[in-house]
Amino acid sequence: MSTTQTPSPSGPAAEQRFTPIRAKAAPRPGTWISAVIVALLVLALISFLVTNPVLEWGTVATYLFDIKVVQGVGWTLLLTLLSMVLGTVVALTAAVMRRSENPVLRGVSWAYIFVFRGIPVYTQLVFWGLFTVIVPKIVIGVPFGPELLSFSTRDLLTAFWAAVIGLGLNEGAYLAEIIRSGLNSVDKGQTEASKALGMGNGTILRRIIVPQAMRVIVPPLGNETIGMLKTTSLVLAVPFTLDLTFATNGIANKLFTPIPLLIVAALWYLAITSVLMVGQHFLEKHFGRGFDDRTPAAGQGRRSRQAAVNSAGTTPQNPLPEVEL
């Protein structure tokens, strides 16, 4: 059996038979109409922002980098960071407990998620602010017997740490379900193959399951981080009075100009959110390698996966050659 390829026609006859097609894109008037409408709306918005005297852009420029505002930004970032770290640790523990074969661990994890997801975060922060009133002293000793050690909660739980614990535990309940869904997205065959190689459960989770689950976990985790940044504006319920929202509100109450200081807070939140979104993009790109066709493999630059296959020369140019018997 041998294969022969049909020679392609050439010469004047081929040029007369095959006429190149000059394709033209279909007209899209809707694109131009929508662009004109959007441009008019943008111009109207710019005119409104520039000419409206209530906005007081001079006041905005004066207090945009005020020392109290900048300090409020720092406290807000610190609250966001510590709360997300605490929430991630608690969420990972709760997610692993939900996947456990022990019914007690599963029940405890479910109860935690049920309670902290069901109560509004503002209400939780109020409770944590009153924790020193509800539990004024923590005692370690024998039940119904002598006290071995006791200390006052007022000396340990400051308003800052009460805000971190309240935000972190509330966030952990939401992140637990996100992490659990990410862990469940990894095929069970990965675990079985790892056990066949003699790996322990902790090693399998750390080296096999979690790295693959990050592709599913990172996008909602980034959204939750941005949401946490904005949720820090509720820590007044503790009360914690050094965050960005309270700082701008304090200046606004002194000047009797709430709108310009609201714009200052909004600009800072937008700036921080933009940085977080850029970081989320690169994290998604990193953990999406090998899954997303838009993400090139290492050493391939901007080439697509199909371009890499074609350049390897392992596929025939004519996929359906004629067969001669």
Side-chain angles (χ1 to χ4, degrees):
M1 181 183 298
S2 61
T3 60
T4 59
Q5 296 184 356
T6 304
S8 57
S10 59
E15 295 179 358
Q16 295 178 0
R17 180 184 301 178
F18 300 103
T19 303
I21 299 176
R22 297 181 179 179
K24 294 183 178 180
R28 297 179 180 270
T31 302
W32 292 100
I33 294 174
S34 59
V36 171
I37 294 175
V38 171
L40 292 177
L41 292 176
V42 170
L43 291 176
L45 178 62
I46 294 175
S47 175
F48 169 78
L49 294 177
V50 172
T51 59
N52 193 333
V54 180
L55 301 182
E56 299 184 25
W57 291 105
T59 305
V60 173
T62 301
Y63 289 96
L64 185 61
F65 295 100
D66 184 80
I67 183 63
K68 293 184 178 180
V69 174
V70 175
Q71 289 177 351
V73 172
W75 283 109
T76 298
L77 291 175
L78 185 60
L79 279 171
T80 303
L81 176 62
L82 295 180
S83 300
M84 287 304 300
V85 170
L86 175 61
T88 303
V89 173
V90 173
L92 182 59
T93 304
V96 173
M97 292 171 63
R98 286 291 302 273
R99 290 164 50 92
S100 174
E101 297 179 358
N102 190 329
V104 177
L105 296 180
R106 292 201 307 269
V108 171
S109 177
W110 180 88
Y112 160 72
I113 295 173
F114 171 77
V115 171
F116 281 87
R117 285 204 308 177
I119 301 176
V121 61
Y122 187 86
T123 306
Q124 295 182 40
L125 291 174
V126 172
F127 269 110
W128 282 105
L130 297 174
F131 184 80
T132 57
V133 177
I134 300 172
V135 185
K137 185 173 65 172
I138 296 178
V139 179
I140 300 175
V142 180
F144 306 101
E147 298 181 1
L148 301 178
L149 179 64
S150 64
F151 47 87
S152 175
T153 54
R154 290 181 180 272
D155 300 332
L156 297 178
L157 191 64
T158 62
F160 173 77
W161 290 111
V164 170
I165 293 174
L167 293 174
L169 292 180
N170 176 78
E171 186 62 34
Y174 290 92
L175 287 181
E177 292 299 286
I178 294 174
I179 294 177
R180 185 177 67 89
S181 63
L183 297 178
N184 291 338
S185 67
V186 181
D187 189 81
K188 293 182 178 179
Q190 301 280 342
T191 303
E192 296 173 357
S194 302
K195 289 183 178 180
L197 295 175
M199 300 176 66
N201 292 331
T203 305
I204 294 173
L205 182 66
R206 186 175 64 257
R207 295 188 177 182
I208 305 300
I209 305 300
V210 172
Q212 297 184 66
M214 289 300 292
R215 177 179 62 92
V216 179
I217 295 174
V218 166
L221 179 62
N223 294 337
E224 290 295 323
T225 304
I226 294 173
M228 174 60 70
L229 173 70
K230 295 177 289 186
T231 307
T232 56
S233 61
L234 301 177
V235 294
L236 178 62
V238 173
F240 181 75
T241 59
L242 296 176
D243 66 297
L244 174 60
T245 299
F246 189 87
T248 54
N249 286 342
I251 298 174
N253 293 334
K254 292 180 180 180
L255 301 177
F256 299 101
T257 54
I259 295 179
L261 273 301
L262 285 176
I263 295 176
V264 170
L267 291 176
W268 273 110
Y269 281 119
L270 284 173
I272 300 171
T273 302
S274 301
V275 175
L276 293 177
M277 291 178 64
V278 172
Q280 177 183 349
H281 167 74
F282 284 104
L283 280 177
E284 291 183 13
K285 185 177 180 180
H286 173 75
F287 288 105
R289 293 177 302 175
F291 294 94
D292 192 352
D293 290 337
R294 295 172 301 175
T295 304
Q300 293 184 3
R302 292 290 181 179
R303 293 187 303 172
S304 64
R305 186 178 301 177
Q306 185 60 44
V309 172
N310 295 337
S311 64
T314 57
T315 56
Q317 296 294 331
N318 187 2
L320 297 175
E322 294 184 0
V323 178
E324 179 179 348
L325 299 176

